[in-house]
Amino acid sequence: MSRPGFVLEVDDRTPPLIVHEGEGFRLEKFPTGTRVVYSPESLPGLRDVDGAIRQALDNPENSEPLRALLRPGMKLTIAFDDVSLPLPPMRRPDIRQRIIEQVLTMAAEAGVDDVQIIAALALHRRMMPSELQHALGERVYRSFAPDGLLYNHDAEDPDNLAFIGTTDQGEEVEINKRAAESDLLVYVNINIVPMDGGHKSVPIGLASYRSLRHHHNSHTMVHSRSFMDHTKSAMHHSAWRMGRLLKDHVKIFTVETTLNNNVFPAPYEFLNKREWEWSVRDQASMLAARRGLAIAPSKLKRRIFQNVQAPYGITGVHAGETEAVHEKTLANVFRQQAVEVQGQSDVLIMGVPYLGPYNVNAVMNPILATCMGLGYFFNSYRGQPLVRKGGAVILYHPVPYEFSQLHHPSYVDFFEEVLAESTDPATIEERFEKQYATDPWYIHLYRTSYAYHGVHPFYMWYWAAHAMDHVGDVVWVGADRRAVQRMGFRAASTLADALEMVSGTVGRSPSITYTHNPPHLVADVR
């Protein structure tokens, strides 16, 4: 039986605690009285994953079994979550491979011979062949990719998009044409956080900019009062309206999976544990890792961390009608990640690790560091934010003034040109978004290379809109001063300096909460 998450109050006996800061970590001594929120320990993984997949496909939620939906002569499309999930990547075999192999076996037995497989990446970068092989396995890749039957969704290909209709709120629903015209669309999902899955899968993953702009905008993001609670997220409300319209036109069979918190493999297992429970071996591993990272060049550190593959356990597999499936999925996710916390603090402290959904095999640039800290981690709550209105956020990350020219070309111009004019999400959207979204060069790179869409940095900036609207001060510890100043934030050398800098906002004796994340957690703030 795994132990639930809990809240530690720092006293004079509390040892220094791990804080992630990009491609490294530090041991930080927090002020007495600081609340430290720890995620629950990993739930046990399913012993028979393949059996659980068969059970889900044969006994789905609010749906006929998958076998009953397959027939000769039909058009079957399988879509799956792209390289942005899970984080870190999963050790082989990936759960997407295991599910898709079973779906393909059932399809072959039913005489289905018109099958295509699509990476549902919306406006993310295309998956590389090696990444497709890792997610789906060699057998699926070699059987489909050479004939063009396994491919990345292209949100800028007008000949392969289908307009479905408009919701009662005026949201246009346009998705991949092959998926829209299929007799059955099977969507295979990995839920690493409660924000994922449900109607966020098909209406977003297979959508065009025409559709995405209705919920990926500054107004919707600032009113998404936690992305981790779809009942209070304006973005999810929009996606749910789109999904309910879509299911009247496309037969969708959803398969969702959940993972445990077993994020870090050897020799980094100590990062999964609570510091005072480290064994002698854990302490030795921690010291060796710190010393090695302290002298390693930045490119080597990046390579080391980007090669981490997590030994996740699968905690659940559910299939069938989207909303019924997602209800079961969320129960599993919150069972693994939810931690009850009483009340808000004046200051919220978060360490931002090396990896987010949009920098797989690339540097985490300043925009993505902001998205990860003020977007994903800040929004990892239910009820109310961990920090009070007008409070302060302190983040740990080096925030390098560095960008991947391959993956993030429009980010460079956004950072240098757009943020030089304004950091206000609404102003940025009004003045600059359309120009970047329709730029022919950015579209060309998105379609033919491995670049995120031209509008993507805007979305990542909007992702932090709720946090920027809610708090009064943001300080980065150990960050490149030029980078954070361009974004309208401040940099400090130490935690003590950061607390001094925010004292004008929160006073000299503020209440403090530190979220010990990763592994993932969602704070139930009462």
Side-chain angles (χ1 to χ4, degrees), residues 150-420:
L150 165 60
Y151 52 92
N152 292 292
H153 168 60
D154 185 346
E156 287 290 351
D157 182 358
D159 295 332
N160 285 298
L161 294 170
F163 178 70
I164 305 299
T166 305
T167 71
D168 58 4
Q169 298 293 314
E171 296 138 330
E172 299 161 293
V173 181
E174 183 176 60
I175 68 166
N176 181 280
K177 187 175 183 179
R178 164 72 194 201
E181 294 179 349
S182 293
D183 297 297
L184 180 64
L185 171 61
V186 176
Y187 194 99
V188 180
N189 150 274
I190 299 177
N191 262 73
I192 193 170
V193 292
M195 183 189 76
D196 303 325
H199 287 305
K200 188 174 175 291
S201 293
V202 175
I204 291 181
L206 293 175
S208 65
Y209 172 68
R210 181 182 182 183
S211 277
L212 292 166
R213 64 190 175 91
H214 290 289
H215 38 68
H216 279 56
N217 58 68
S218 61
H219 180 268
T220 300
M221 294 301 187
V222 80
H223 289 93
S224 291
R225 300 309 165 85
S226 181
F227 300 131
M228 305 306 165
D229 184 351
H230 77 275
T231 65
K232 295 184 177 180
S233 166
M235 178 186 70
H236 284 82
H237 293 167
S238 177
W240 253 242
R241 288 190 294 268
M242 291 181 167
R244 287 167 177 166
L245 171 67
L246 190 59
K247 73 177 184 179
D248 293 333
H249 295 80
V250 183
K251 178 65 176 177
I252 301 173
F253 187 89
T254 297
V255 187
E256 293 192 347
T257 63
T258 51
L259 311 178
N260 65 13
N261 263 348
N262 196 10
V263 175
F264 295 103
Y268 303 107
E269 300 108 318
F270 63 89
L271 293 172
N272 292 321
K273 301 178 181 180
R274 298 158 187 177
E275 290 85 351
W276 59 91
E277 296 177 344
W278 284 346
S279 66
V280 173
R281 181 178 178 180
D282 291 328
Q283 294 178 41
S285 296
M286 181 275 296
L287 290 171
R290 287 192 71 204
R291 288 169 181 165
L293 293 171
I295 62 174
S298 59
K299 289 185 178 179
L300 176 58
K301 288 193 290 187
R302 190 164 306 145
R303 190 179 313 121
I304 290 170
F305 277 103
Q306 292 284 351
N307 285 334
V308 168
Q309 294 183 5
Y312 298 114
I314 307 300
T315 59
V317 182
H318 298 283
E321 186 271 326
T322 301
E323 293 186 25
V325 168
H326 197 55
E327 184 177 346
K328 301 272 181 141
T329 297
L330 288 178
N332 275 339
V333 173
F334 287 123
R335 188 163 57 97
Q336 175 62 90
Q337 298 181 6
V339 186
E340 185 174 325
V341 182
Q342 297 300 322
Q344 297 175 300
S345 294
D346 298 315
V347 178
L348 174 62
I349 299 176
M350 299 176 285
V352 180
Y354 67 97
L355 184 62
Y358 317 111
N359 74 301
V360 176
N361 296 319
V363 63
M364 182 178 282
N365 64 52
I367 305 301
L368 293 180
T370 299
C371 171
M372 197 66 187
L374 297 181
Y376 281 97
F377 281 3
F378 178 88
N379 280 278
S380 290
Y381 71 85
R382 289 193 295 184
Q384 56 185 343
L386 275 164
V387 61
R388 66 168 173 81
K389 179 73 172 177
V393 169
I394 296 174
L395 300 151
Y396 285 75
H397 193 275
V399 195
Y401 206 114
E402 185 180 355
F403 297 83
S404 166
Q405 294 290 344
L406 174 63
H407 295 323
H408 305 119
S410 66
Y411 279 70
V412 180
D413 295 335
F414 178 88
F415 191 79
E416 296 290 352
E417 299 173 4
V418 174
L419 291 183

Side-chain angles (χ1 to χ4, degrees), residues 1-130:
M1 184 71 180
S2 62
R3 292 180 299 176
F6 78 106
V7 179
L8 168 76
E9 183 171 319
V10 171
D11 59 25
D12 56 6
R13 298 168 299 172
T14 305
L17 306 179
I18 286 283
V19 181
H20 290 265
E21 49 179 2
E23 289 145 356
F25 56 88
R26 70 170 67 187
L27 290 172
E28 186 69 89
K29 188 72 174 175
F30 286 94
T32 299
T34 298
R35 299 189 307 181
V36 182
V37 185
Y38 282 88
S39 64
E41 289 185 331
S42 283
L43 296 170
L46 298 172
R47 291 185 177 181
D48 182 4
V49 175
D50 292 328
I53 295 170
R54 284 193 299 272
Q55 171 70 15
L57 300 181
D58 289 340
N59 298 278
E61 309 291 332
N62 291 354
S63 170
E64 297 174 88
L66 178 61
R67 295 177 193 274
L69 300 175
L70 301 170
R71 66 180 189 278
M74 74 180 300
K75 183 182 291 186
L76 171 65
T77 299
I78 303 169
F80 63 95
D81 284 343
D82 72 345
V83 75
S84 62
L85 293 168
L87 303 170
M90 181 184 296
R91 282 182 180 171
R92 290 184 174 183
D94 191 288
I95 188 62
R96 288 165 290 195
Q97 171 189 338
R98 300 171 81 162
I99 293 170
I100 289 173
E101 285 181 346
Q102 289 205 34
V103 172
L104 291 173
T105 297
M106 290 185 181
E109 292 171 350
V112 179
D113 56 13
D114 185 354
V115 183
Q116 293 188 19
I117 307 175
I118 307 173
L121 46 86
L123 302 181
H124 300 171
R125 69 166 175 86
R126 298 187 308 137
M127 292 180 71
M128 297 179 177
S130 60

Side-chain angles (χ1 to χ4, degrees), residues 346-347 388-394 471-475 490 495-510:
D346 298 315
V347 178
R388 66 168 173 81
K389 179 73 172 177
V393 169
I394 296 174
V471 303
D473 216 342
V474 176
V475 175
R490 293 187 289 171
L495 175 59
D497 289 345
L499 289 170
E500 175 68 26
M501 292 168 69
V502 302
S503 62
T505 300
V506 298
R508 295 195 171 276
S509 300

